[in-house]
Structure formats: C-alpha cells, structure tokens
Amino acid sequence: MHQGRAISRGETRPQGGVSSHVQLHTPGMMKVKVISVLEDNYMYLVIEENTREAVVVDAAVPKRLLEIVRKEDVTLKAILTTHHHWDHARGNEELAKVYPELQVYGADERIGALTHKVTHNEELKFGDINVRCLFTPCHTSGHMCYFMWEEDSPDAPAVFSGDTLFIGGCGKFFEGTAEQMYRNLTDILGALPKETKVFCGHECTVRNLKFALKVEPENEIVKKKLTWAKLRDDEDLPTVPSTLQEEFHYNPFLRVSEESVQKFTGKTDPVDVLRALRTAKDNFKKPKEMLNPQAMLAFEWGLFGPFLDKK
C-alpha cells in the first residue's frame, strides 16, 4: 500500500481523550485513514475507493468514526475487531444500532455485537480489498490480526496488528504464553512479505524504542528510529505505519536470535529470550527527565512542600 507523501501535516493528535485523524494518501483503490483516539489508541478506516465502501479496524470511539464516515461519504460495511478489550471494541454495539446490516468480525465471543466468528487463515473480501485473518492468541486468548492486500496492485500490503505487534515492541501476555507470542511474531506475522506496512493498536513507539535501546545500546538503527519517533511525537504525528522489514532491525521481540539480545537476557533459546524480554519490558521504567536547576533548588528549599501536602 502506497502512502504518497505519507501523512498530511497540520492534523494533530490531541491528548486527554480527544480524538483526531490523519489521512494516508494512496493513489490506488485502498485508502487507510489513521484515527487517533483516547489516550494513545488507533482505529483505522479502510476505504475501497472504487465502491466508496469501508471497513473499520477496532471501532473504539463510534462518534468520531461516524463523523469521518460522513465526511468521507462512504458506506460502512464491516467492523474488524482485533480483540475484546474496551479500548478496541467498545463502539461495536452503538455502530450496530446505527447500521443494522453491519457485519462484525472477530475471534472472541467476548467481542460486542459479534456477527461472524472468524478463524485462522480465513479470507474475507470487501470490493477489491482482500483480508486474511491471522489468529495470534497471547495478549488475549482470542486476538486476531488482519492482513489486507489488493490483487495486481503495486502498493504494499498492510497488517493491522492490534496489541500483538507494536512498532518496536509487542503486547503484554495477559492471557497467553511466551511460546504463543514467539509463534505469533515469527511464524505468523514475521512470515508476511517484508514490505508489509504495520498498523498497530497503540502509539507507544517512543517508549518501546527506549527499551530497545536499553537492550541493544549499540544498535544505530534503534537510535535513529528513536530520534525520528521523538520528533513525530513532539509534533503530535503518528509513527504508524512502519514496515515488517524495519521491525526486524530495531524491534527486540523480533530479534530474539541476535547475539546482542541474547546477551541482554542471559538466555539463548528464542522462547526463553522472548519471555525474559517481556518481563524486563514490564519492569522497565523510562529514564526520568532531569529537573532544571531552579526546580532542584526549589525542592531543596522546600518550596514545593505546600503543593505536595495537598496530594
């Protein structure tokens, strides 16, 4: 999937639960709109340009989605839900009321308004857009990723990876094991075409890459990607999408066979390395920003005392 000049500037990602969206321009038949919602979530509206029909991945904030559907003048045909967590699926019921014919796809009975329970490698079609469902249990026991492509298109395919694969990281093992996540990242997502664009469920790239730098302090690609991601974050711009090929260069969870990553964990078996990485990431605290000299003096003189006492 081609993004042209990537992401249009001038649109921001506000904090504090207010949503915004950024359009990825594509000259082909499939257009992806990146919609930033809640604190750091993404939902995605995928538009089939020829028919003006659309599907949404992870409909978390229905009001915002409906605004964009109206603005784009498209017909919403389906919801593809990666997993049942509220920040990915809470809009399903409301949207199903607005669109009684709406199809809701997912792999977990806990997903609201579910109409089609999909299975691993099941394929769906929306106009010229093909979707392959990729079952990736671990973050939740019913997590599904969605791989999308168009036949005979020069544009790269895309994977909507929910909370399984992030830019520079992976999801927490809430309902699964390191063995499952290793299979997800290596045999399923890792086996997709290297040019595949990765659209993940959260904006946590800076945080992930700070941990990646701790794992591999000499990795120059991590350093460059982190610098870039900080600049994007400062301008309230998304860091999605990355590509699968890029992830193999800086994402420690995809680099479990690298000597430098094994050295950090003290393990050599890939699954053991992945398990140790996840534990280390769960306990990772990003370095605190140093206070400026005036603030340090204020602390020493006790000037913050009245404010601290109120908490």
Side-chain angles (χ1 to χ4, degrees):
M1 207 175 14
H2 178 61
Q3 270 76 44
R5 295 184 60 195
I7 296 171
S8 57
R9 302 177 74 81
E11 302 216 40
T12 59
R13 178 166 55 83
Q15 300 302 313
V18 182
S19 63
S20 183
H21 77 277
V22 176
Q23 178 170 322
L24 297 178
H25 300 285
T26 67
M29 295 172 287
M30 183 165 74
K31 178 170 68 176
V32 177
K33 293 188 76 72
V34 178
I35 308 168
S36 184
V37 292
L38 305 174
E39 200 63 33
D40 62 9
N41 277 76
Y42 287 127
M43 57 183 181
Y44 300 100
L45 187 67
V46 185
I47 300 169
E48 212 278 9
E49 291 276 41
N50 290 339
T51 62
R52 303 303 296 166
E53 294 179 348
V55 299
V56 61
V57 180
D58 286 351
V61 181
K63 182 180 178 182
R64 183 64 179 132
L65 180 67
L66 289 170
E67 288 173 1
I68 296 170
V69 165
R70 283 192 287 267
K71 184 178 178 182
E72 288 291 319
D73 193 23
V74 295
T75 302
L76 189 64
K77 302 296 287 185
I79 298 173
L80 306 178
T81 303
T82 60
H83 61 294
H84 76 282
H85 287 164
W86 72 273
D87 58 330
H88 294 261
R90 72 172 188 174
N92 289 10
E93 286 93 344
E94 185 173 331
L95 289 167
K97 290 176 183 175
V98 176
Y99 302 103
E101 302 300 314
L102 192 66
Q103 308 298 301
V104 180
Y105 297 86
D108 194 320
E109 297 288 356
R110 293 172 290 184
I111 292 171
L114 187 70
T115 62
H116 293 76
K117 189 173 182 182
V118 290
T119 56
H120 183 57
N121 277 334
E122 183 174 342
E123 293 197 358
L124 313 171
K125 197 166 178 65
F126 302 96
D128 288 322
I129 299 173
N130 300 285
V131 181
R132 181 179 301 139
C133 304
L134 300 174
F135 189 49
T136 55
C138 182
H139 181 71
T140 68
S141 60
H143 195 290
M144 188 70 77
C145 297
Y146 299 97
F147 178 65
M148 295 192 197
W149 76 100
E150 303 157 280
E151 298 291 352
D152 304 319
S153 172
D155 296 340
V159 66
F160 297 86
S161 57
D163 286 4
T164 293
L165 174 65
F166 295 126
I167 298 180
C170 76
K172 292 186 177 183
F173 305 174
F174 285 136
E175 297 180 1
T177 64
E179 286 83 1
Q180 286 178 315
M181 187 59 82
Y182 178 73
R183 180 171 182 269
N184 294 340
L185 298 179
T186 305
D187 299 339
I188 300 175
L189 299 182
L192 294 173
K194 294 297 180 282
E195 69 273 17
T196 300
K197 294 189 180 297
V198 178
F199 293 92
C200 56
H202 291 269
E203 179 58 58
C204 49
T205 302
V206 170
R207 191 161 66 246
N208 288 342
L209 291 173
K210 285 182 176 180
F211 174 71
L213 192 59
K214 181 181 180 182
V215 176
E216 294 186 279
E218 304 304 318
N219 188 325
E220 293 299 323
I221 300 178
V222 172
K223 294 176 186 177
K224 289 178 182 176
K225 185 73 174 181
L226 177 56
T227 298
W228 174 85
K230 284 178 176 178
L231 289 172
R232 299 290 290 182
D233 202 52
D234 287 345
E235 297 181 32
D236 276 332
L237 292 171
T239 59
V240 293
S242 66
T243 68
L244 198 57
Q245 187 165 21
E246 291 173 19
E247 293 299 317
F248 278 103
H249 289 299
Y250 54 66
N251 189 330
F253 295 93
L254 289 174
R255 295 172 56 79
V256 292
S257 296
E258 297 292 327
E259 185 179 346
S260 51
V261 179
Q262 294 181 352
K263 182 180 178 182
F264 173 81
T265 62
K267 309 288 183 182
T268 54
D269 177 79
V271 173
D272 291 340
V273 174
L274 185 65
R275 184 183 294 109
L277 278 176
R278 185 66 257 176
T279 300
K281 178 65 164 64
D282 290 343
N283 296 322
F284 177 66
K285 300 290 187 289
K286 64 181 180 182
K288 287 184 171 60
E289 302 292 339
M290 286 296 293
L291 289 168
N292 64 42
Q294 292 89 347
M296 292 293 287
L297 284 172
F299 265 115
E300 288 179 18
W301 295 342
L303 298 180
F304 286 164
F307 299 101
L308 297 174
D309 291 341
K310 291 178 182 178
K311 290 189 175 181

